[in-house]
Amino acid sequence: MSALWTVKVLGLAAVALPLWVELLGRFLRRLRPAGALNEVLFFPSQVACVEHIFSSLSPGSCLCPLPHGVETSLSRLLRRILSATSSLDLCVFAFSNVNLSRAVLALHDRGVAVRVLTDRDYVAVTGSQIGVLRKAGICVRCDACSVHMHHKFALVDGRLLITGSLNWTLTAVQSNIENVVVTEEPDLVRPFAEEFHRLWERNDPARCLRPKRPKLRSGSISYD
Amino acid sequence: MSALWTVKVLGLAAVALPLWVELLGRFLRRLRPAGALNEVLFFPSQVACVEHIFSSLSPGSCLCPLPHGVETSLSRLLRRILSATSSLDLCVFAFSNVNLSRAVLALHDRGVAVRVLTDRDYVAVTGSQIGVLRKAGICVRCDACSVHMHHKFALVDGRLLITGSLNWTLTAVQSNIENVVVTEEPDLVRPFAEEFHRLWERNDPARCLRPKRPKLRSGSISYD
């Protein structure tokens, strides 16, 4: 009888254990980023219509001559940006891409708190979208403390990091070989959030004693 | 009765055991990336002596006027690169930093398989290290198929990804605000390894029918 009960208990344990392991796994997934999003987008992106991303129209209802209903690196990037519900912190060297600007403006219109930090030298370049964002009421600060503020990252709701080689320009999106990493890994997101906070505070216009932008040393390479 | 129960329990265990093994496997797979390296380096890097990274000398034994024994973003980056034991695949837009070049040459001297892919337009720029690498016998290929091959990533032993906004130049390391992500996340490493393979094959000099580099559209922004 005792042996029989031992066997019964062992059988029950064999059934219960997988369930226990699964539940423990789910619990730990909540604690740590095992299910964290990790995605890489490569560019140049195929040229395709992105109108349906901004409106409730179906891809087929747009009459523009571009291909429709095509999932591209740009459309995936736009969707990631537009997934923001509370905040978008953007830190980008060059910003002239109209579709990316449209996404930032759409978030601002929705009431998402948008902050943009950019390089001072590229604000007034022809095609720059920084003036458009400012006119719409978006808070923009320009870095003037380094030779180039060369970051190209965004933080969506403080939890999703978008970073890589891609400047937010038409050439970068359509013509260059580029990469964008999209990740929720806290060990990657946290340092970028701290970096944004540091740069944002450092370039507060209310600060009077801002250090002057250093000049490039003569003889140094001028490309970034 | 006893024999019947034993058979029942054994049957149940036979069903439960594979399930248990499978779930345990999944659980362990989920746990594995938790220990994966994720690090962010920010630049500009403090200027300090890096001689001890390349030699067995202690930091104090170098007589140069730079600060010694200081851990900087550059020294951490150099250590990550020098951790390669079998291969280094480097895909970088601009490469003029002498210390980073020295690290790549050191790996080549050690017998590490080094492949370098770069942008054609920047190979011959003053200060470029590409000629130095080629002279040392390192295999270099130049991309000529896009407006800019704007990646700045490296794969160490096919398992560690180093990527970000940082071109491998002196200005980028010492003067710009830049970032470098260092990660072992398989979901991030794998796409970059595939991208390197794709670009490496596409720019094989043995291929005769290579597409010509497209020209920039007139009116487009010229900065990356």
Side-chain angles (χ1 to χ4, degrees):
Chain A
M1 186 64 178
S2 168
L4 181 61
W5 270 103
T6 306
V7 172
K8 278 183 188 176
V9 168
L10 283 174
L12 202 62
V15 176
L17 201 60
L19 188 66
W20 182 86
V21 168
E22 175 64 13
L23 287 173
L24 185 69
R26 285 189 190 186
F27 175 66
L28 288 174
R29 266 206 307 286
R30 281 185 196 147
L31 288 183
R32 40 155 248 105
L37 171 75
N38 280 310
E39 184 183 26
V40 185
L41 305 175
F42 290 108
F43 293 79
S45 179
Q46 187 184 342
V47 178
C49 178
V50 291
E51 203 54 43
H52 59 288
I53 294 174
F54 295 103
S55 65
S56 54
L57 296 172
S58 69
S61 61
C62 175
L63 299 173
C64 82
L66 298 175
H68 290 84
V70 184
E71 187 77 349
T72 66
S73 293
L74 175 62
S75 66
R76 293 180 76 87
L77 177 60
L78 288 169
R79 282 188 213 280
R80 292 295 179 201
I81 296 164
L82 288 165
S83 72
T85 56
S86 61
S87 68
L88 178 79
D89 287 337
L90 175 61
C91 191
V92 67
F93 174 58
F95 192 170
S96 62
N97 188 291
V98 174
N99 282 319
L100 289 166
S101 170
R102 203 174 158 191
V104 175
L105 290 167
L107 290 180
H108 177 64
D109 287 347
R110 266 194 235 156
V112 170
V114 178
R115 297 188 292 180
V116 178
L117 190 66
T118 190
D119 186 86
R120 191 179 60 177
D121 290 346
Y122 286 87
V123 168
V125 167
T126 311
S128 171
Q129 291 295 305
I130 298 299
V132 179
L133 303 182
R134 273 192 163 139
K135 273 185 195 158
I138 291 173
C139 193
V140 177
R141 291 186 183 173
C142 299
D143 182 83
C145 305
S146 51
V147 170
H148 282 311
M149 199 301 292
H150 202 235
H151 285 318
K152 316 104 174 25
F153 73 85
L155 287 157
V156 175
D157 294 341
R159 61 163 180 83
L160 182 76
L161 170 67
I162 297 170
T163 188
S165 69
L166 185 99
N167 284 307
W168 287 28
T169 67
L170 187 66
T171 304
V173 168
Q174 286 190 4
S175 307
N176 286 357
I177 297 179
E178 305 268 8
N179 65 76
V180 168
V181 167
V182 183
T183 182
E184 286 175 336
E185 287 297 335
D187 290 345
L188 299 178
V189 175
R190 199 181 314 109
F192 277 92
E194 289 166 3
E195 174 75 348
F196 186 88
H197 177 75
R198 186 183 71 84
L199 295 176
W200 189 255
E201 292 303 312
R202 187 172 82 161
N203 291 289
D204 182 351
R207 289 194 180 186
C208 298
L209 297 170
R210 194 190 305 171
K212 282 181 73 177
R213 166 158 291 193
K215 285 184 181 171
L216 264 175
R217 291 165 197 75
S218 63
S220 62
I221 308 290
S222 63
Y223 45 86
D224 308 338
Chain B
M1 182 67 178
S2 169
L4 182 62
W5 269 102
T6 306
V7 170
K8 278 183 186 173
V9 168
L10 283 175
L12 204 60
V15 174
L17 199 62
L19 183 67
W20 184 86
V21 168
E22 170 66 13
L23 287 174
L24 185 68
R26 283 191 194 183
F27 177 64
L28 289 174
R29 271 202 299 282
R30 281 174 193 153
L31 276 185
R32 192 178 52 80
L37 172 74
N38 280 310
E39 184 182 25
V40 186
L41 305 175
F42 290 108
F43 294 80
S45 179
Q46 187 184 341
V47 178
C49 177
V50 292
E51 203 55 42
H52 59 289
I53 294 174
F54 295 103
S55 65
S56 55
L57 296 172
S58 68
S61 60
C62 175
L63 298 174
C64 81
L66 297 176
H68 290 84
V70 184
E71 186 77 349
T72 66
S73 294
L74 175 62
S75 66
R76 292 180 76 87
L77 177 59
L78 288 169
R79 283 187 211 280
R80 292 296 180 203
I81 295 163
L82 288 165
S83 72
T85 55
S86 61
S87 68
L88 179 80
D89 288 336
L90 175 61
C91 191
V92 66
F93 174 57
F95 192 170
S96 62
N97 188 291
V98 174
N99 282 320
L100 290 166
S101 171
R102 203 174 158 191
V104 175
L105 291 167
L107 291 179
H108 177 64
D109 288 346
R110 264 194 239 158
V112 171
V114 178
R115 298 188 291 180
V116 177
L117 190 66
T118 190
D119 186 84
R120 192 179 59 175
D121 291 345
Y122 286 86
V123 169
V125 167
T126 311
S128 171
Q129 291 296 305
I130 298 298
V132 179
L133 303 183
R134 273 194 163 137
K135 274 186 195 159
I138 291 173
C139 193
V140 177
R141 291 186 183 174
C142 299
D143 183 83
C145 305
S146 51
V147 170
H148 281 312
M149 198 301 293
H150 203 234
H151 286 319
K152 316 105 174 25
F153 73 85
L155 287 157
V156 174
D157 295 338
R159 59 158 186 87
L160 182 76
L161 170 67
I162 298 170
T163 188
S165 68
L166 186 98
N167 284 307
W168 288 30
T169 66
L170 186 67
T171 304
V173 169
Q174 285 191 2
S175 307
N176 286 357
I177 297 178
E178 306 268 7
N179 65 77
V180 168
V181 167
V182 182
T183 181
E184 286 175 335
E185 285 298 333
D187 292 344
L188 299 178
V189 174
R190 200 181 314 109
F192 277 92
E194 290 166 3
E195 174 76 348
F196 186 88
H197 177 75
R198 185 183 72 83
L199 295 175
W200 189 255
E201 292 303 311
R202 186 171 85 161
N203 291 289
D204 183 352
R207 290 193 179 186
C208 297
L209 296 170
R210 194 191 304 171
K212 282 181 70 178
R213 165 158 290 194
K215 287 184 179 170
L216 265 176
R217 290 165 197 76
S218 62
S220 61
I221 308 290
S222 63
Y223 47 86
D224 309 339

